[in-house]
Amino acid sequence: MRAGATAGGRADGAAVRAGAERVMDPVARRGAVFVVGVLAALIGGYFIGTASVPSSSSSPPPSHAHAGPEYSLALESSDFSLGVSRDLRFRIAGAFGDPVTEFAVKHDKRMHVVVVRSDLTGYQHLHPTLGPDGVWSVPLTLTAPGTWRVFADFTAADGVDATAAAFLLVGGAFSPAPLPPAGSVADISGVSVTLDGRVRPGGTEPLTFTVSASGPLDRYLGAYGHLVLVRAGDLAFVHVHPEDALRGGSVRFWVTLPGPGTYRAFFDFSIAGVVRTAEFTL
């Protein structure tokens, strides 16, 4: 459900006042005129650039790609035993390490957790519960040795979408699985899913999933599907929500990638209350 993968900056201005009784020397006066001219050019450029941005109403729905360097995921423990279920427990911390305990409900949940191994196998989409002590917890079983990535995907109380991530470790000999080749059809327990569309870095492109099954698609977590993309190598993360209505029975997402690379796409959908995941290499 909700990129991979963001940062922002602020600029502060300062004004210096000179007393009316002081006389500015010619060199200082020329320096002041130069500074004022630069500031005027910057401010004018800002408003020109802002005015040239098209309105969102003329653009396709944006990817629900998250980031949020102002948040971090603090695990109580990162070590898991192979095949043994135990609670994954963590806190979300703010920019200065302060605990975050207020979250907005988005797609029926206040927190979405995605877990995947570093070779992009073993995908899980979970929904933890928040305890009175500010700790999120959810049962988790990791079925293969190696390094795993856990993504906590949420909407802060101020409405800002964010993702925080950390690594989990399962002891044992790590044998990475090769990434499957790109394809347009996936079969999950007799249900066929067809992918149509291509994505490219720097653009927002549609991906459409058509599910061939005996029954109609259910709404799952408030939508007809959820799409997670994870990039091979650095594990950049994108979580996308679809258009609200089906298009001829198909689910359409608008995807913006954080950059070039090979991605593994995980499409979650529900039929008759059973949630399945179709996987594709892009």
Side-chain angles (χ1 to χ4, degrees), residues 104-266:
V105 174
K106 194 115 179 206
H107 286 268
D108 297 345
K109 300 291 182 180
R110 289 190 293 169
M111 179 69 67
H112 299 261
V113 166
V114 168
V115 181
V116 66
R117 200 168 74 145
S118 59
D119 60 357
L120 305 184
T121 62
Y123 169 87
Q124 299 182 55
H125 184 168
L126 309 171
H127 300 103
T129 57
L130 180 62
D133 56 355
V135 175
W136 291 94
S137 63
V138 64
L140 175 63
T141 303
L142 301 180
T143 57
T147 300
W148 295 68
R149 191 70 162 160
V150 54
F151 303 92
D153 189 25
F154 58 93
T155 300
D158 59 5
V160 175
D161 293 328
T163 299
F167 285 106
L168 305 174
L169 181 64
V170 179
F174 174 55
S175 179
L179 198 63
S184 60
V185 179
D187 184 84
I188 313 96
S189 303
V191 176
S192 179
V193 180
T194 301
L195 167 63
D196 181 51
R198 298 182 64 183
V199 290
R200 59 183 176 85
T204 299
E205 305 292 342
L207 287 181
T208 302
F209 295 85
T210 302
V211 179
S212 300
S214 56
L217 287 171
D218 304 327
R219 281 192 176 272
Y220 167 57
L221 299 175
Y224 284 111
H226 295 264
L227 181 63
V228 168
L229 298 98
V230 183
R231 183 164 58 190
D234 66 353
L235 306 180
F237 174 90
V238 181
H239 182 187
V240 194
H241 295 140
E243 295 179 349
D244 186 64
L246 295 173
R247 286 180 172 254
S250 299
V251 187
R252 174 172 288 183
F253 300 84
W254 292 89
V255 179
T256 304
L257 296 179
T262 300
Y263 291 79
R264 191 69 169 160
F266 305 92

Side-chain angles (χ1 to χ4, degrees), residues 32-58:
V33 171
F34 174 78
V35 170
V36 171
V38 171
L39 288 176
L42 289 174
I43 293 171
Y46 168 80
F47 284 107
I48 292 171
T50 302
S52 68
V53 177
S55 67
S56 59
S57 60
S58 63

